[in-house]
Amino acid sequence: MLDVQSRPDLFGQAAQEFDRAFSGDGAPRPFAEKRREARDHFERLGLPTRKLEAWKYTDLRPALKDEYAFVQGDGTSSLSADDLTAFAVPGVDAARLVLVNGTVVPALSDLSAMPEGTTVSSLREAAEEGGAVISEYFGRFTEVDQDAFAALNSAFDLDGYFVHVPKNAEVETPLHVIHLVENDAPAFVQTRHLIVAEDNARVRVIESYVSRDGERRQFGNHLTEIAAGPGAEVRHVRIQDEGDNAHQVTTVNVYQDRDSQVRTHTFTFSSGTVRNNTAAVLDGPGGTHTVGGLYILHGDQHVDTHTLIDHEAPGCESNELFKGIVYDQGTGVFNGKVFVARPAQQTNAYQQSQGVVLSPDARHFSKPELEIYADDVKCSHGSTTGAIDPESLFYLRARGISYEDARALLLYAFAHDVVEELEDEALQNYLDARIAARLK
């Protein structure tokens, strides 16, 4: 059992929640043994500190100083369907799934556009009902013995969303998942998600982490597993826009079979301290993974991005593009690793990180890595951090554009490169508008 007295408050809260989860009426819960193992790993690992190389630039202590209460929703909300209009993506005709305090709220969700045969539901309900898909894929791609936050997430009986697209099915309507927190006191919220696209299936998921007022103090620990079968295509976009008092650790673990295509993009606008982890295993020939992100940081915002692309099969391709714009005392971090195993001949892997620093106290750290054991590959990485190009600024000002407008134009063009990788024009327009609003 966790020693409540000798650990930080979060450990004490976790210990109480663990004990509560495993007591009760004694009825068996789904994946109980896996949860117990995750609990043991969390106790052994402890919360990460800057002594760990992977957390060298990120100190979580300020973000965890509040006395958070573990919060789990009950499937209801004080919101109405009209209140959700402010969180919609204009022009994107999407099905809607709403989670409040980490729990699906059916009354606010609208899944009528989902085709027959495709499952979109509460993950907790799907786990309770059982089924071969949940049994095969839940927890399969997450190494709880290596990551304290993954272990913490896996130890609980959480809700989240479950998406299952059967063979040869194409879901033309995107799924828009809206995450909200309703709690007067500082809240610690966790969610767990699973996306399974079987052979030649197609699906798009857009996640928005938003806030009604931007003032709520919260910490989120969110974990998503994605499984793409042979020839499947999954597009996954996350938009982090909860407010400066919202901190997050997010993890996306992807498994890809042959000839599959997965795109994962993260856009961070308004936030506190954020750690975004993305790991992908290309385990079948011909797979393609595209991962990218953009963060625009003000005040003392801190965004730490870690990626791991694991090429295990031949003839696969991966592309990474991350960009950061950092103002004031903000800090941006990128650490991306491409691993190419010996069997993964004819791998193409490209990685690019670019940061623009706009004040003397702003910081941006970048650490691209390649680890290659195959000899027939094309792999490259690049990293740049600096200020706005003075020659480009001079060029625009010489044509009668003010300094402020010229700088904004250059920053907008810099950021739009990531947006351009998305194929949905309406989503691009929405993100472009958020970028323009965030640029000074």
Side-chain angles (χ1 to χ4, degrees):
M1 181 179 296
L2 291 169
D3 181 355
V4 177
Q5 300 301 322
S6 62
R7 303 296 184 105
D9 183 69
L10 181 61
F11 280 87
Q13 291 280 344
Q16 295 176 23
E17 295 299 322
F18 287 147
D19 292 341
R20 186 179 297 116
F22 285 102
S23 58
D25 58 8
R29 302 294 299 158
F31 307 106
E33 189 56 38
K34 285 187 177 181
R35 290 165 54 214
R36 287 190 181 92
E37 291 176 2
R39 167 185 175 163
D40 293 341
H41 287 305
F42 176 65
E43 180 179 8
R44 175 181 58 83
L45 291 167
L47 291 174
T49 69
R50 294 182 63 180
K51 293 180 180 179
L52 298 174
E53 180 64 24
W55 291 83
K56 180 178 180 180
Y57 299 108
T58 300
D59 184 359
L60 288 176
R61 288 176 298 177
L64 292 171
K65 66 182 180 181
D66 286 305
E67 294 185 4
Y68 294 104
F70 276 72
V71 173
Q72 185 74 62
D74 60 2
T76 65
S77 172
S78 62
L79 292 169
S80 67
D82 291 339
D83 294 327
L84 300 176
T85 304
F87 309 126
V89 179
V92 176
D93 186 16
R96 183 179 68 232
L97 189 68
V98 179
L99 283 81
V100 176
N101 293 347
T103 300
V104 171
V105 181
L108 296 179
S109 303
D110 182 2
L111 302 175
S112 58
M114 289 291 100
E116 186 177 353
T118 295
T119 300
V120 178
S121 70
S122 155
L123 179 66
R124 176 183 290 161
E125 292 180 0
E128 290 175 348
E129 293 172 1
V133 175
I134 290 284
S135 299
E136 180 177 358
Y137 291 104
F138 181 82
R140 177 178 169 185
F141 314 116
T142 298
E143 298 179 348
V144 296
D145 60 334
Q146 303 293 325
D147 184 337
F149 280 96
L152 179 61
N153 184 284
S154 300
F156 284 93
D157 181 22
L158 301 176
D159 201 8
Y161 65 82
F162 170 55
V163 177
H164 174 227
V165 186
K167 293 180 180 180
N168 302 315
E170 180 172 357
V171 183
E172 296 182 359
T173 302
L175 173 66
H176 186 200
V177 183
I178 300 174
H179 299 267
L180 285 157
V181 173
E182 289 187 328
N183 202 60
D184 293 332
F188 193 97
V189 179
Q190 300 191 100
T191 58
R192 184 65 173 257
H193 317 299
L194 176 62
I195 301 171
V196 178
E198 294 191 4
D199 305 16
N200 303 309
R202 305 286 186 273
V203 67
R204 291 177 290 164
V205 178
I206 304 167
E207 294 191 66
S208 295
Y209 293 86
V210 292
S211 172
R212 296 177 69 179
D213 53 25
E215 298 298 325
R216 297 179 188 273
R217 306 193 69 84
Q218 61 197 61
F219 197 111
N221 181 24
H222 310 293
L223 196 156
T224 303
E225 293 177 299
I226 300 174
E233 182 177 323
V234 179
R235 301 176 191 171
H236 179 235
V237 177
R238 291 180 296 172
I239 303 168
Q240 297 170 329
D241 211 358
E242 291 180 295
D244 294 345
N245 293 317
H247 313 289
Q248 279 192 37
V249 174
T250 72
T251 301
V252 177
N253 293 328
V254 182
Y255 174 85
Q256 295 184 232
D257 211 324
R258 60 175 177 81
D259 299 320
S260 60
Q261 299 180 40
V262 176
R263 294 172 174 262
T264 56
H265 287 84
T266 303
F267 297 87
T268 307
F269 297 118
S270 178
S271 68
T273 297
V274 174
R275 169 67 173 249
N276 290 322
N277 303 307
T278 301
V281 178
L282 287 83
D283 203 31
T288 301
H289 188 88
T290 301
V291 57
L294 170 71
Y295 40 91
I296 303 176
L297 311 182
H298 295 277
D300 60 355
Q301 285 182 262
H302 183 112
V303 173
D304 185 348
T305 299
H306 273 238
T307 66
L308 170 61
I309 310 300
D310 185 356
H311 288 263
E312 293 289 337
C316 294
E317 181 174 327
S318 63
N319 296 277
E320 295 185 63
L321 177 62
F322 285 86
K323 294 196 173 188
I325 299 173
V326 189
Y327 295 90
D328 306 324
Q329 297 83 41
T331 302
V333 181
F334 171 79
N335 187 179
K337 182 174 183 177
V338 174
F339 178 89
V340 182
R342 191 174 301 278
Q345 303 294 336
Q346 297 182 326
T347 287
N348 293 328
Y350 307 99
Q351 184 185 92
Q352 182 70 35
S353 167
Q354 297 178 329
V356 175
V357 177
L358 296 170
S359 69
D361 295 324
R363 297 178 297 172
H364 190 268
F365 303 98
S366 185
K367 184 184 177 186
E369 300 179 55
L370 298 176
E371 187 173 343
I372 302 170
Y373 294 94
D375 52 19
D376 181 13
V377 301
K378 293 181 180 178
C379 299
S380 66
H381 61 68
S383 175
T384 60
T385 297
I388 294 177
D389 180 16
E391 292 187 6
S392 299
L393 194 60
F394 176 80
Y395 177 86
L396 292 175
R397 295 203 65 196
R399 281 149 181 78
I401 301 175
S402 69
Y403 172 82
E404 289 78 12
D405 289 345
R407 190 172 84 154
L409 280 172
L410 291 173
L411 291 173
Y412 174 84
F414 172 82
H416 183 71
D417 286 346
V418 182
V419 177
E420 208 168 29
E421 293 191 333
L422 308 179
E423 297 178 0
D424 189 317
E425 184 176 355
L427 181 58
Q428 288 183 353
N429 292 337
Y430 171 77
L431 291 169
D432 282 339
R434 287 299 296 127
I435 290 169
R438 291 290 291 171
L439 296 177
K440 290 185 178 180

